[in-house]
Amino acid sequence: MNDDSSTRIAAALRDWIADAAPGARLPSTRTLVEHHGASPVTVQRALKLLTTQGLVETRPGVGTFVRAARTTRPADYGWQTAALGPRPAGAGTLSTSLRTVANDVIALHSGYPARDLLPERLVRTALTRAARSEAAINRSPVAGMPELQQWFADELGSQSPTDVTPPAASDVIVLPGSQSCLSAVFRALVLRGQPLLMESPTYWGALHAATQAGVEVVPIPSGPHGPDPEQLDRAFEETGARLFYAQPTYANPTGAQWTPGLAQSVLDVVRRHRAFVLEDDWAHDFGIDSEPRPLAAHDDAGHVIYLRSLTKSVSPAIRIAAVIARGPARERILTDIGASSMYVSGTLQAAALDVVTQPGWLPHQRRTREALRDRRDLLLRCLREHTPQAHVEHVPAGGLNLWARLPDGTAVEPLADRCRAAGLMIAPGTEWFPAEPSGPYVRLNFSGPDPSGFGAGAQILGRMLDA
Amino acid sequence: MNDDSSTRIAAALRDWIADAAPGARLPSTRTLVEHHGASPVTVQRALKLLTTQGLVETRPGVGTFVRAARTTRPADYGWQTAALGPRPAGAGTLSTSLRTVANDVIALHSGYPARDLLPERLVRTALTRAARSEAAINRSPVAGMPELQQWFADELGSQSPTDVTPPAASDVIVLPGSQSCLSAVFRALVLRGQPLLMESPTYWGALHAATQAGVEVVPIPSGPHGPDPEQLDRAFEETGARLFYAQPTYANPTGAQWTPGLAQSVLDVVRRHRAFVLEDDWAHDFGIDSEPRPLAAHDDAGHVIYLRSLTKSVSPAIRIAAVIARGPARERILTDIGASSMYVSGTLQAAALDVVTQPGWLPHQRRTREALRDRRDLLLRCLREHTPQAHVEHVPAGGLNLWARLPDGTAVEPLADRCRAAGLMIAPGTEWFPAEPSGPYVRLNFSGPDPSGFGAGAQILGRMLDA
């Protein structure tokens, strides 16, 4: 471990390389060790440095060579344009909410909680433990580690009333993040070109997955109180759809949580049409004023396919989600997942299970709940004070976002551009609508870094709305 | 850390629960701590034990409750059968090579190297380091960590001749395993129902992904010397296909490595048809008698889409692969990957990069090469001695498998069943053929656990062939 020595050896070798022919073989590690009186590790470090700088290249088991000078021509990929044909309809760029930004920007656009809302200590401990365990080396079963399947089943089962059979561990399929579940379920249960009912507005990632699956999205209007079961009933009737994608708990972006009555009505509609709901319980760990009430806890006849993710509540670097499905539908989904992702890293599965079963997990969740409440209320106050033009119809009882309606006629995308130029990132509501937006909305995330910037952010938004 | 105390507390609570009504709230952790004179950690451990046993359930932030007795009815998912409709053509079960088996079985069926061939110490160190780094908490960019993109680009670029422009880091997309690349590339570059040329026999996982993508597989016969460029030319001509999936280096299952001349001819054919090759360089780290020679190193016009995986050489628990593609095709593929997996765990990316840039990686690769040579040669000797009926046409210069032809008329699937009953797992060759098999083959993997069983395994195979 002597960085100075390795830098010195690298410098000496750079001189040697300057005089050498391209392709010349460098002295062996042993020779360099003797010549420089350094350890093999130090010499390797010097060679790695030169490799990174593109001066040498290593051929495993053969040696290290002076890298030949390259002729770099401008590439012409024009032939691909003809070979690829037209771009698939709707294939788009990434959402605003995935953008990373400089530190001095006020970020209300992100979809991910800031670092201080994550259980960082638990995550580091869990990964360190996983590194020492069998999970660092073994291959996981395709459907997931049995203990983690059991945990996901228990989480949902603990909310089932006594007259509903809770899910079994074997109903659970563990996934590398929830996005791969969305595309797998859409592909597995909806034929190409066939209708898929989706709340409008709804999660942009689900819209993206639906586009890729080639299904026809049928929007079901949904607001601060969720969708209207009668409209849903008519849409099933008219389109013959067999799947409805919905977020009954703290919906993204509206923040709606369905009442038990609405949940029951939707379940009745779905049962009557012998159809499925894909329940995306993305914000299960982000209740503020209420507890999450999964729809799936009230179904044991295989109508609700339940998706739960730990990515946002544990760590975006431990991407673990699970889908719970029963009956033949589970087999259909597992076949698709087997062909598209095969199995999930056991290291990540072990670490995720470790985090959520530690004694520190509940206190962390309580702290997160308080922090989210403070942040939500602070952002609401700042908007009221500095941005009276923005109207938050519904204060969400959980989740990470406010959904604000702007004055009629506001062009939200140019507004977002003006805000960005002034140092504020917001997400234009257009990205959450499967068809034309029902009005000018922006989504403001209150879980990003540094809530002390909320006031300044609201001021910028107010100013730009007047500009 | 007192397991006895927590067991004792759990036992006391079990008595309490036996008298309690379903749904009753347990005494608070604080009360239990005082009552039993134990630490909060010990009490939590006791509660976790009871949760695992299904006796209590915890509602985060609320308390722990006696779990209500459940009425379990046999479920009727019959309605799903009608809702789902016919099973998609070709949707199958998992390959033999993913099966896990008991320790006393001789396993020649697996697709994964045994534990003693993995860089276990490097993996554990790398994961421990990643647990301490920013990579445990941060979200990775969609296309991957820039340093890891650079490493994959350098690996391929270091094999490019000087008149070929090497790939840039920005041409690389990091993936959670190579399976997700196969399905993404097939979907992105081949329209549903359109032809996809594939070597026959070829990797079953690619066949699985092709089925799922709904493309029409056109088999190109390929043997110990790879495909015939004239046949490939005719197939492009007759079908109008624009993609050829191939494994030019130690193909799975045949072990073929294309000569530089064949590689050049295939590239010429592909260029002439303005088409793509998806080069699956799955065994890049498993050269035995030769070095891998990626086709992609000789193309800078965007014809070769290059797939490299570290899953088998680093750890199946660190599932990291990368695809290198240039031009508009890369955008098309990235759009699909964005919709189907979004981004890859930064922890795994950091750990993978750490392993392959450690000084210990090259010595590990050298040891693996020697171990694979010993295992391959041992299995060949055992087959020659005990299974003269099995004919290995081609001794592979790398990879993990022997591809053995059995006497004409052998029914390979019943044979595999008989072998399994006698304590030997083999993979019937049928799984590697897109259409009817060209003969009775089995794939024998020499990288599984315990090569000392090879002799007994060959004896069983010989006996069962005569049975």
Side-chain angles (χ1 to χ4, degrees), chain A residues 325-453:
Chain A
R326 313 200 215 187
R330 178 185 180 275
E331 298 312 307
R332 195 71 62 100
I333 295 166
L334 184 59
T335 300
D336 189 286
I337 287 169
S340 59
S341 66
M342 197 93 88
Y343 65 91
V344 180
S345 156
T347 309
L348 299 186
Q349 293 187 65
L353 181 63
D354 187 327
V355 169
V356 296
T357 53
Q358 279 309 301
W361 174 241
L362 295 190
H364 164 77
Q365 286 197 302
R366 275 195 295 274
R367 280 194 304 274
T368 303
R369 175 183 281 249
E370 292 313 313
L372 287 176
R373 188 195 319 268
D374 291 347
R375 285 161 163 265
R376 179 196 63 185
D377 295 346
L378 174 62
L379 185 56
L380 279 166
R381 280 199 306 278
C382 293
L383 288 173
R384 243 177 259 129
E385 185 170 346
H386 302 295
T387 327
Q389 313 97 310
H391 178 54
V392 176
E393 290 174 71
H394 168 70
V395 177
L400 309 174
N401 307 297
L402 298 182
W403 182 237
R405 172 139 190 165
L406 305 179
D408 282 347
T410 307
V412 291
E413 275 162 352
L415 173 73
D417 291 342
R418 288 201 305 276
C419 286
R420 190 169 60 235
L424 168 70
M425 293 286 287
I426 56 172
T430 33
E431 294 176 3
W432 278 265
F433 286 97
E436 295 78 4
S438 60
Y441 286 92
V442 287
R443 195 192 73 166
L444 304 173
N445 184 297
F446 51 80
S447 73
D450 193 14
S452 73

Side-chain angles (χ1 to χ4, degrees), chain B residues 387-427:
Chain B
T387 327
Q389 312 98 309
H391 178 54
V392 177
E393 290 174 73
H394 169 70
V395 177
L400 309 175
N401 307 296
L402 298 181
W403 182 236
R405 171 139 191 164
L406 305 179
D408 283 347
T410 307
V412 291
E413 276 162 352
L415 173 72
D417 290 342
R418 288 201 305 276
C419 287
R420 189 168 61 236
L424 168 69
M425 293 286 286
I426 56 173

Side-chain angles (χ1 to χ4, degrees), chain B residues 195-199 216-221 227-244 269 272-273 275:
Chain B
L196 164 64
L197 310 187
M198 297 182 93
E199 288 179 285
E216 193 196 315
V217 174
V218 178
I220 304 294
D228 172 1
E230 283 179 30
Q231 274 186 326
L232 182 66
D233 192 33
R234 274 200 304 278
F236 270 120
E237 189 70 43
E238 286 166 11
T239 64
R242 64 184 190 188
L243 179 63
F244 174 39
V269 168
R272 198 157 55 242
H273 289 282

